[in-house]
Amino acid sequence: MPLDPSFVGRTYPPTAPYLVGREKIREFASAIGATDAAHHDPAAAQALGHPDVVAPPTFPVIVTMAASRQIIEDPALGVDYSRLVHGDQRFAYTRPVVAGDELVCTNTIEDVSTRGGHGFLTTRTDVSTVGGEPVVAVWARYVIRGEA
């Protein structure tokens, strides 16, 4: 089933809040080999003007991938998850993510197209604090492979 282009511009309800934990940031930083002290040591982060440890730039993928289920699992859109491939991702920061942030995600479908028998889906996830402070916008492009 092809993707429904009428979904372009659709925005989904905000997700439940995600509390960013210090240990989660440390674990993520260690997993990706990010050794900067500001990712591990609160004193180092505070010396740089942050209230607590700072998440590596790709950390928001933890919350945005979970939030993207709103879109991927929307039966009316027509995504066959068994054929989905993650194609691209980019981040535009307003400020860094730090331990103690309580984040919500709002997903919007920015583009739906078909090329060469494959579906292309571009989403934007606006990540903000529960108080409404913008933190980062994350764009993802998914390819839904066509039938062989």
Side-chain angles (χ1 to χ4, degrees):
M1 172 168 118
L3 298 174
D4 184 347
S6 73
F7 275 65
V8 172
R10 180 172 292 191
T11 297
Y12 291 78
T15 61
Y18 175 89
L19 180 60
V20 178
R22 183 184 289 163
E23 287 309 311
K24 184 62 86 172
I25 289 175
R26 287 175 173 155
E27 290 168 358
F28 186 88
S30 294
I32 65 168
T35 58
D36 189 297
H39 302 314
H40 301 275
D41 179 11
Q46 290 165 356
L48 296 172
H50 302 288
D52 208 323
V53 294
V54 179
T58 55
F59 181 86
V61 75
I62 290 174
V63 292
T64 61
M65 286 298 288
S68 71
R69 284 192 289 246
Q70 288 179 313
I71 296 171
I72 303 303
E73 295 176 356
D74 186 337
L77 177 59
V79 174
D80 178 351
Y81 190 76
S82 71
R83 306 192 71 73
L84 184 137
V85 178
H86 186 260
D88 185 36
Q89 189 140 16
R90 66 186 170 95
F91 302 83
Y93 274 90
T94 302
R95 69 157 177 84
V97 173
V98 296
D101 280 341
E102 198 168 356
L103 304 175
V104 295
C105 298
T106 304
N107 292 307
T108 301
I109 296 177
E110 288 205 336
D111 188 51
V112 172
S113 61
T114 302
R115 292 190 303 277
H118 305 292
F120 291 82
L121 172 65
T122 302
T123 64
R124 184 185 80 239
T125 303
D126 293 310
V127 181
S128 60
T129 65
V130 293
E133 178 189 6
V135 177
V136 61
V138 181
W139 287 266
R141 174 167 291 171
Y142 302 99
V143 179
I144 295 79
R145 296 174 291 116
E147 297 293 327

